[in-house]
Amino acid sequence: MIPESFTKESLQSYLWTMSDAHPAITPTPEQLRGISHPLRMRILGRLRLDGPQTATDLAAALGVNTGQTSYHLRQLAQYGFIAESTGMGTGRERYWHALHQSTRTRSSTLDPDTSAAFRQAAVVNQLQWVQAAVQEHAELPAPWREAGTNSDWWIRLTPEQAHELVARIGAVVDEALAAEPPAGQEPDGAELFMVQLHAFPRPGGLAHRDEPGDKSDADPSDEARSATGTHQSSTHRSDREPS
């Protein structure tokens, strides 16, 4: 399943860029449980997008208080996702930066509760980006309004066919990521563009597994990826409406 998700970003910020970070982290179950909180994911996404920031910066950007951002920054550092930026800030103004460009998870190595908590937090975060994009869609320049989409399709597939479809879509996104120019070398007019992928059988249409460890109902994917960005618009296409 290529999609779970949350973040590959490269951006500018002060004297620091994401090129200084490791490409990806595959967290342990304990680390994944530590990051399975919507606000914590939003903070990490901001650090990956915009570079080092303080608890005050993040509180202003996310509309929360500094006590919340300070606590979640410490938790992210404890679980190995961020670190303090030495040589930046003065006094109590501590800057923090992300240690990785993205997070990838392997569903086959996770217990159902850990996987469910991570997915729930990730989807909350993703839908906040979608809602923000929809709200500003009408104000975007025409080329960007036409570039984005909010689409859904219902297709009858076997699990194997569904897995292949998601993998093929993921491969196209991987090609675009591989072709992305380094920070500071983007062509004129280039902006961060978010691509979200949600793919699943119709909820309520399948019998649920009898036991939590039932291998026959295991997720067929090898890994899950996710991304946070901006500038998604909301043209809608759908060939079949859900009943």
Side-chain angles (χ1 to χ4, degrees):
M1 155 194 108
I2 293 178
E4 203 155 47
S5 296
F6 75 88
T7 45
K8 188 271 165 195
E9 281 88 20
S10 61
L11 253 306
Q12 75 291 349
S13 172
Y14 316 170
L15 304 176
W16 178 95
T17 67
M18 280 306 297
S19 61
D20 299 317
H22 295 289
I25 178 175
T26 301
T28 65
E30 181 181 4
Q31 286 176 307
L32 203 62
R33 285 190 290 271
I35 201 175
S36 296
H37 185 286
L39 180 56
R40 208 165 292 173
M41 285 190 178
R42 293 177 68 195
I43 290 172
L44 180 58
R46 288 280 176 170
L47 294 178
R48 286 175 169 172
L49 279 168
D50 300 324
Q53 297 182 62
T54 66
T56 302
D57 295 331
L58 290 163
L62 299 175
V64 297
N65 63 59
T66 56
Q68 289 175 288
T69 53
S70 294
Y71 170 75
H72 288 297
L73 284 166
R74 292 193 299 271
Q75 291 296 301
L76 286 167
Q78 177 182 326
Y79 286 105
F81 290 95
I82 69 172
E84 186 174 356
S85 301
T86 58
M88 298 183 66
T90 57
R92 299 181 62 183
E93 284 288 273
R94 302 169 66 186
Y95 281 84
W96 301 86
H97 65 271
L99 294 174
H100 316 91
Q101 292 178 344
S102 65
T103 299
R104 298 192 175 193
T105 67
R106 293 188 177 275
S107 298
S108 59
T109 66
L110 302 175
D111 66 83
D113 289 342
T114 298
S115 179
F118 175 76
R119 285 174 178 271
Q120 184 65 40
V123 167
V124 168
N125 185 39
Q126 291 160 2
L127 292 181
Q128 287 174 337
W129 283 109
V130 173
Q131 187 60 49
V134 169
Q135 289 174 350
E136 74 166 16
H137 176 253
E139 306 302 322
L140 295 177
W144 283 114
R145 290 200 305 271
E146 297 167 2
T149 181
N150 297 110
S151 304
D152 61 81
W153 297 265
W154 290 100
I155 312 169
R156 292 193 182 278
L157 300 171
T158 66
E160 294 75 18
Q161 290 172 327
H163 186 206
E164 179 183 0
L165 175 62
V166 172
R168 289 171 63 186
I169 296 171
V172 173
V173 176
D174 279 344
E175 289 178 9
L177 289 172
E180 184 181 20
Q185 300 180 28
E186 303 91 345
D188 291 342
E191 297 287 348
L192 276 177
F193 187 77
M194 180 177 234
V195 179
Q196 292 190 12
L197 180 55
H198 301 275
F200 44 84
R202 178 179 173 178
L206 291 172
H208 291 192
R209 61 188 171 204
D210 294 327
E211 297 179 3
D214 184 5
K215 298 290 182 68
S216 65
D217 196 37
D219 195 323
S221 76
D222 285 330
E223 45 177 53
R225 291 171 258 199
S226 116
T228 354
T230 63
H231 303 291
Q232 180 180 14
S233 59
S234 59
T235 304
H236 179 84
R237 297 193 299 266
S238 180
D239 67 348
R240 191 183 307 173
E241 292 297 327
S243 59

